[in-house]
Amino acid sequence: MAKLPKDSHRVEDVAYAEYLFEKFYVIGSISTGGVTRLGYSDAETEMHKMFKSIGEKEGFRYEEDEVGNSFICNSDSDSYYLIGSHLDSVVDGGRYDGVAGIIAGLIVLKWVKDNKLDIPIKVGAFRCEESSNFGKCTVGSGLVTNALNKHDVAETVSKDGRTMEEIFKENGYSLYPERISGVKQYLELHIEQGKILEEYGERLGIATTIAGPKRFLLHLIGEAEHSGATPMDMRHDALCGAAELISEIESIGRDEAIWKSVATVGTVELKPNALNVIPGSVTLGVDIRGINQDSLNRMENRIKDSGKKIAKKRGLKFYRDKISEMSPVVLSRNMQETLSHIAKDMKISHRIMISGAGHDAMSFAEICDTALIFIPCDKGISHNKNEFATIESICDGAILIYEYLHEVSK
Amino acid sequence: MAKLPKDSHRVEDVAYAEYLFEKFYVIGSISTGGVTRLGYSDAETEMHKMFKSIGEKEGFRYEEDEVGNSFICNSDSDSYYLIGSHLDSVVDGGRYDGVAGIIAGLIVLKWVKDNKLDIPIKVGAFRCEESSNFGKCTVGSGLVTNALNKHDVAETVSKDGRTMEEIFKENGYSLYPERISGVKQYLELHIEQGKILEEYGERLGIATTIAGPKRFLLHLIGEAEHSGATPMDMRHDALCGAAELISEIESIGRDEAIWKSVATVGTVELKPNALNVIPGSVTLGVDIRGINQDSLNRMENRIKDSGKKIAKKRGLKFYRDKISEMSPVVLSRNMQETLSHIAKDMKISHRIMISGAGHDAMSFAEICDTALIFIPCDKGISHNKNEFATIESICDGAILIYEYLHEVSK
């Protein structure tokens, strides 16, 4: 083991992490207090430029790949460890989602340099991890691992109305990139975006599986009628049907919680959405996630059946669109065990857990051994200006990655 | 009785009604096929100019009052029958709501002239009946009957951001108008905006009471957390609470249906309304209406209690804002009986019913005998480009009003 503090962090490490955090801080800041750094927007590009400038200042080599992902490298070896995350954010998001993992990678790179270790590492910042701009997540990592292809993304349209294809053309990027090569193992640190670590009082999480999200739009169509002039027994109120369906989806999620599945209605679109009109149509956006494929399928079927049953009973029309579907991703068991063993040695309390949220690690799990490490975030809040994680937590994760790389590259 | 057809309408009457309908048709037309003629907007003013030009072409006198309401008058008698309705619309509304009543009034006026009867009549077009522009309904009729005062409306803001006070100043209107005088009786024809007449196959409705609407915003506040990373048992999902509350409100409405009450959740506002975030807050817009004050109060209390109970059970915060409250308005029993008796004589099938929707008639019921007559509208659809009533129905209503005036002014 390298001589690094285990229970508390060195002042200079905390200072370096803070320095890195400050470098990114102002980019994409908005008046509400949060940041908006949408994937493939100018704000995200500015983040990548800052990343480049930080790396070059430390004397590292910079690379950009065919889709705009950025890499800071301590060697030009054909075979390297990749520590990755992202620099984009949701609309009005927080400053830790993605950035925490990049900071951790840069700290590890510096420690490896300072300790003159010969471990080939690239820190990779992947473009457009959030679905907020194009409705597609993990675009940069997906394209270079070939988990995504041109057809998945070319026609998607950004919030300002441009297709991915147009943006790629403008920037000289390719929708048919060569598959990334030479990655020995992929490691990612990310804020948990949940409150499990906080509730259990643990310093780090090591993920076993990343839940596979399935997303649907559920449409209920009734009749938009005058709220005053239509007696209760003559109504076909789409919202009352939707309310029943939302309750049912919650109950399905609770039934499947034993399998660590979750079911969420996150969006509601109502027409005409006027105080004096009975809702004529409602569209619910549903996100179900889990690590057990049977549980996911069961939830999907039960939601479909509930929608049909409720619609029939109420004289509504019901149909659904599947937006996306990903299978659960199992991460490297070996890496988890080694990471857990090192964390134990270092007396850093940690928890073996699932990842409910999706991450760039999903893209890499298909092509190499992959590990995902969580740090707690305050009250589990994420995708929000109130998102907060401590610099010490980032250092906890960085030390674990550093010690891990030190161990496996011996 | 004057010699007018009872079962079918004269070709020239239908043609005149169609001519009037066409005159207004194009004003405020929008690309979707409907019309937008917001209260105190240019489009509404154009409607009033057209109204003036139609009246003057027939040789009638035109008056505008201190708040911009328009009148076509067949005499300058101090005491007159007032046939009123409105010329504004909701956003993307239909062409019959309000206009049907104005057309009926103009037809009656023409018949009275053609038949050389000496019945003093004004047809009144009242400004801003719909709440769509300022969130306040029956503004023009409310101000001149003093049912509303300056404090109710001065600070309200139009969709394009101007206060009622500014708009009144610009146009030389007064927020302290003199109370309208000389109205012997007020009569209004309006499309039903419900489907009771259609379901029962009746040609006209005669209203006994106008339901008093109470409107609330109900707020449920939970925690906006990551939909993937937050287990079902750690959630404070505002939407799941709202769904339960919507179902409860429907059930309260159904319980009170024996009192002809209704309860509707017409609007839902969700934050952040994102597929990957558990809804952190939901605001429901609730409209309850009825003709029985006890029933209205019971509904209000039960909704409040349900909100509190659901919030407590789920660890959410709950509060409510009352937006508006009006008492049920009882219309003239005498006028109803006479109208019903005349309709019977004319063999026009009709139904004695309540008005669930609010109308300018509410403002007048306080100051004079008031009657409200409904004509069927297709499938009950209103506030929508698909709103449709037949010209023959408008003629049915016009004949009833004409015969009524003929009868009572003998």
Side-chain angles (χ1 to χ4, degrees):
Chain A
M1 294 273 170
K3 284 178 187 157
L4 280 172
K6 291 184 179 70
D7 296 331
S8 64
H9 298 286
R10 296 188 309 179
V11 172
E12 58 265 43
D13 293 336
V14 170
Y16 185 60
E18 274 171 353
Y19 153 82
L20 293 172
F21 184 73
E22 290 300 325
K23 283 282 180 190
F24 293 116
Y25 192 91
V26 79
I27 299 169
S29 288
I30 56 173
S31 60
T32 60
V35 292
T36 298
R37 302 161 175 166
L38 293 172
Y40 289 112
S41 71
D42 292 347
E44 192 201 28
T45 299
E46 221 185 305
M47 291 292 283
H48 282 250
K49 282 185 186 157
M50 180 54 73
F51 178 59
K52 180 184 181 198
S53 119
I54 291 166
E56 290 181 341
K57 203 171 161 193
E58 292 289 342
F60 298 123
R61 192 165 55 77
Y62 172 80
E63 283 177 4
E64 187 185 17
D65 70 12
E66 294 176 88
V67 304
N69 300 321
S70 298
F71 301 87
I72 302 291
C73 324
N74 68 355
S75 87
D76 48 12
S77 167
D78 285 347
S79 176
Y80 54 91
Y81 294 96
L82 179 56
I83 306 173
S85 200
H86 61 97
L87 291 171
D88 64 320
S89 81
V90 301
V91 174
D92 202 358
R95 289 185 169 80
Y96 296 86
D97 180 357
V99 177
I102 297 298
I103 292 175
L106 290 169
I107 297 171
V108 171
L109 215 53
K110 188 169 191 305
W111 284 335
V112 167
K113 183 178 86 171
D114 291 351
N115 290 289
K116 299 188 176 59
L117 301 181
D118 182 23
I119 312 174
I121 297 172
K122 292 188 183 183
V123 179
F126 297 100
R127 287 274 185 170
C128 196
E129 192 265 351
E130 303 288 355
S131 57
S132 306
N133 202 16
F134 294 90
K136 285 276 172 190
C137 62
T138 59
V139 174
S141 61
L143 284 170
V144 293
T145 55
N146 297 173
L148 287 178
N149 66 44
K150 180 183 166 170
H151 303 294
D152 296 318
V153 297
E155 302 300 318
T156 60
V157 177
S158 69
K159 279 198 177 293
D160 60 4
R162 293 179 306 154
T163 65
M164 186 83 79
E165 191 154 31
E166 281 164 36
I167 292 169
F168 268 50
K169 196 170 266 177
E170 262 171 45
N171 288 280
Y173 298 147
S174 166
L175 281 163
Y176 295 107
E178 247 186 74
R179 200 172 97 162
I180 190 170
S181 65
V183 184
K184 278 181 203 260
Q185 294 188 327
Y186 177 88
L187 292 111
E188 180 165 357
L189 173 143
H190 206 281
I191 59 168
E192 181 199 342
Q193 303 183 289
K195 53 193 174 186
I196 295 173
L197 290 175
E198 191 179 74
E199 298 249 331
Y200 289 96
E202 322 231 50
R203 285 166 69 184
L204 292 176
I206 299 170
T208 55
T209 314
I210 303 177
K214 292 194 190 205
R215 290 178 172 180
F216 311 93
L217 294 179
L218 305 180
H219 308 274
L220 286 159
I221 319 287
E223 281 170 36
E225 298 174 300
H226 195 291
S227 65
T230 313
M232 296 305 289
D233 61 354
M234 286 190 185
R235 297 178 171 215
H236 300 282
D237 185 326
L239 181 62
C240 288
E244 224 181 305
L245 188 51
I246 294 165
S247 296
E248 197 58 36
I249 290 168
E250 183 188 35
S251 149
I252 291 166
R254 284 180 175 167
D255 288 349
E256 297 289 333
I258 43 166
W259 303 101
K260 297 193 188 296
S261 296
V262 290
T264 310
V265 180
T267 67
V268 178
E269 201 197 331
L270 200 63
K271 279 182 188 159
N273 205 29
L275 257 174
N276 55 352
V277 187
I278 297 164
S281 77
V282 176
T283 298
L284 303 179
V286 180
D287 173 280
I288 64 178
R289 308 206 196 193
I291 54 169
N292 178 305
Q293 193 62 55
D294 288 344
S295 169
L296 281 166
N297 294 343
R298 225 168 15 241
M299 289 201 290
E300 179 176 354
N301 288 331
R302 283 187 62 190
I303 290 170
K304 191 172 66 184
D305 292 346
S306 294
K308 280 186 191 166
K309 208 173 104 190
I310 290 165
K312 192 173 174 197
K313 185 178 74 177
R314 290 177 169 273
L316 305 172
K317 280 180 210 151
F318 171 75
Y319 66 97
R320 59 184 205 129
D321 297 318
K322 191 177 277 190
I323 304 172
S324 63
E325 176 164 20
M326 288 169 103
S327 296
V329 173
V330 178
L331 301 172
S332 161
R333 184 75 181 266
N334 268 346
M335 289 178 79
Q336 286 154 45
E337 283 171 359
T338 310
L339 284 163
S340 174
H341 144 77
I342 294 169
K344 238 175 247 162
D345 279 357
M346 297 174 78
K347 297 197 170 42
I348 296 181
S349 65
H350 63 286
R351 183 175 186 82
I352 307 298
M353 61 193 290
I354 71 158
S355 173
H359 297 289
D360 290 304
M362 287 190 296
S363 308
F364 283 92
E366 294 295 307
I367 65 161
C368 64
D369 281 352
T370 292
L372 176 61
I373 295 160
F374 286 134
I375 61 171
C377 60
D378 190 40
K379 298 187 189 71
I381 294 166
S382 183
H383 287 180
N384 185 308
K385 63 174 178 182
N386 296 319
E387 184 180 278
F388 178 72
T390 65
I391 290 294
E392 287 73 16
S393 290
I394 298 176
C395 291
D396 280 347
I399 286 178
L400 180 62
I401 294 172
Y402 174 84
E403 294 292 351
Y404 171 86
L405 294 177
H406 195 229
E407 170 94 12
V408 298
S409 63
K410 264 176 194 163
Chain B
M1 295 272 172
K3 285 177 186 160
L4 281 170
K6 290 178 180 78
D7 297 331
S8 63
H9 298 286
R10 295 190 310 181
V11 173
E12 58 266 42
D13 293 337
V14 171
Y16 185 61
E18 275 170 352
Y19 153 84
L20 293 173
F21 184 72
E22 289 302 324
K23 283 282 180 186
F24 294 115
Y25 192 91
V26 80
I27 300 168
S29 289
I30 56 174
S31 60
T32 60
V35 291
T36 299
R37 302 161 176 166
L38 293 172
Y40 289 112
S41 72
D42 291 347
E44 192 200 30
T45 299
E46 223 185 304
M47 291 292 281
H48 282 251
K49 282 185 185 159
M50 180 55 73
F51 179 60
K52 179 184 181 197
S53 119
I54 291 166
E56 289 181 342
K57 202 172 161 195
E58 291 288 342
F60 298 122
R61 193 165 54 79
Y62 173 80
E63 282 175 7
E64 187 185 17
D65 70 13
E66 294 173 90
V67 305
N69 300 321
S70 298
F71 301 86
I72 302 291
C73 324
N74 69 356
S75 87
D76 49 11
S77 167
D78 286 347
S79 174
Y80 54 90
Y81 296 95
L82 178 55
I83 306 173
S85 199
H86 61 98
L87 291 170
D88 64 322
S89 81
V90 301
V91 174
D92 203 358
R95 289 183 171 81
Y96 297 86
D97 180 356
V99 177
I102 297 296
I103 292 175
L106 290 168
I107 297 171
V108 171
L109 215 51
K110 188 169 190 307
W111 285 336
V112 167
K113 184 178 86 169
D114 291 351
N115 289 288
K116 300 187 174 62
L117 301 180
D118 182 24
I119 312 174
I121 297 172
K122 292 187 184 183
V123 179
F126 297 99
R127 287 275 186 168
C128 196
E129 192 265 351
E130 304 288 355
S131 57
S132 306
N133 202 16
F134 294 89
K136 284 278 173 190
C137 63
T138 59
V139 174
S141 61
L143 284 171
V144 292
T145 56
N146 298 173
L148 287 177
N149 65 44
K150 180 182 167 168
H151 304 293
D152 295 318
V153 296
E155 302 301 318
T156 59
V157 177
S158 69
K159 280 200 177 293
D160 60 4
R162 293 179 307 154
T163 64
M164 186 83 80
E165 191 155 29
E166 280 164 36
I167 292 169
F168 268 49
K169 197 172 266 177
E170 261 171 43
N171 287 282
Y173 298 147
S174 166
L175 282 163
Y176 296 108
E178 247 186 74
R179 199 170 99 164
I180 190 169
S181 64
V183 185
K184 277 181 205 257
Q185 295 188 326
Y186 177 88
L187 293 111
E188 180 166 358
L189 174 143
H190 206 281
I191 59 168
E192 182 199 340
Q193 303 182 288
K195 54 193 174 186
I196 296 174
L197 291 174
E198 192 178 74
E199 298 248 331
Y200 287 96
E202 321 232 51
R203 286 165 70 185
L204 292 177
I206 298 169
T208 55
T209 314
I210 303 176
K214 292 193 190 204
R215 291 178 172 179
F216 311 93
L217 294 179
L218 305 180
H219 308 274
L220 285 159
I221 319 287
E223 282 169 36
E225 297 173 302
H226 196 292
S227 64
T230 313
M232 296 305 288
D233 61 354
M234 285 191 185
R235 296 177 172 217
H236 299 283
D237 185 326
L239 182 61
C240 289
E244 221 181 308
L245 188 51
I246 293 165
S247 296
E248 197 58 38
I249 291 168
E250 183 188 35
S251 148
I252 291 165
R254 284 178 175 168
D255 288 349
E256 296 289 335
I258 44 166
W259 302 101
K260 298 193 186 300
S261 295
V262 291
T264 310
V265 180
T267 66
V268 177
E269 202 197 332
L270 201 62
K271 279 182 188 163
N273 206 28
L275 258 172
N276 56 352
V277 187
I278 297 165
S281 76
V282 177
T283 299
L284 303 178
V286 180
D287 173 280
I288 64 177
R289 307 206 196 193
I291 55 169
N292 179 304
Q293 193 63 55
D294 288 344
S295 170
L296 281 165
N297 294 343
R298 223 163 23 236
M299 290 200 291
E300 179 176 354
N301 289 330
R302 282 187 62 190
I303 290 170
K304 191 172 65 185
D305 292 346
S306 295
K308 281 187 192 166
K309 208 173 104 189
I310 290 164
K312 193 175 173 193
K313 184 178 73 180
R314 291 177 169 272
L316 305 172
K317 279 181 210 152
F318 171 75
Y319 67 96
R320 58 183 206 131
D321 298 317
K322 191 177 278 191
I323 305 172
S324 64
E325 177 164 20
M326 287 169 104
S327 296
V329 173
V330 179
L331 301 172
S332 160
R333 182 77 181 264
N334 267 344
M335 289 178 80
Q336 286 154 44
E337 283 173 359
T338 309
L339 285 163
S340 173
H341 144 79
I342 294 169
K344 237 174 249 165
D345 278 358
M346 297 174 77
K347 299 198 168 41
I348 297 182
S349 64
H350 64 285
R351 182 175 186 83
I352 307 298
M353 61 193 289
I354 70 157
S355 173
H359 297 290
D360 290 303
M362 288 190 295
S363 308
F364 284 92
E366 294 294 309
I367 66 161
C368 64
D369 281 352
T370 293
L372 175 62
I373 296 160
F374 286 134
I375 61 171
C377 59
D378 191 40
K379 297 187 189 71
I381 295 166
S382 184
H383 287 181
N384 185 307
K385 64 175 177 181
N386 296 319
E387 184 180 277
F388 178 71
T390 66
I391 290 293
E392 288 72 17
S393 290
I394 299 176
C395 291
D396 279 348
I399 287 179
L400 181 60
I401 294 171
Y402 173 85
E403 293 293 350
Y404 172 85
L405 294 177
H406 194 230
E407 171 95 11
V408 298
S409 63
K410 263 175 193 165

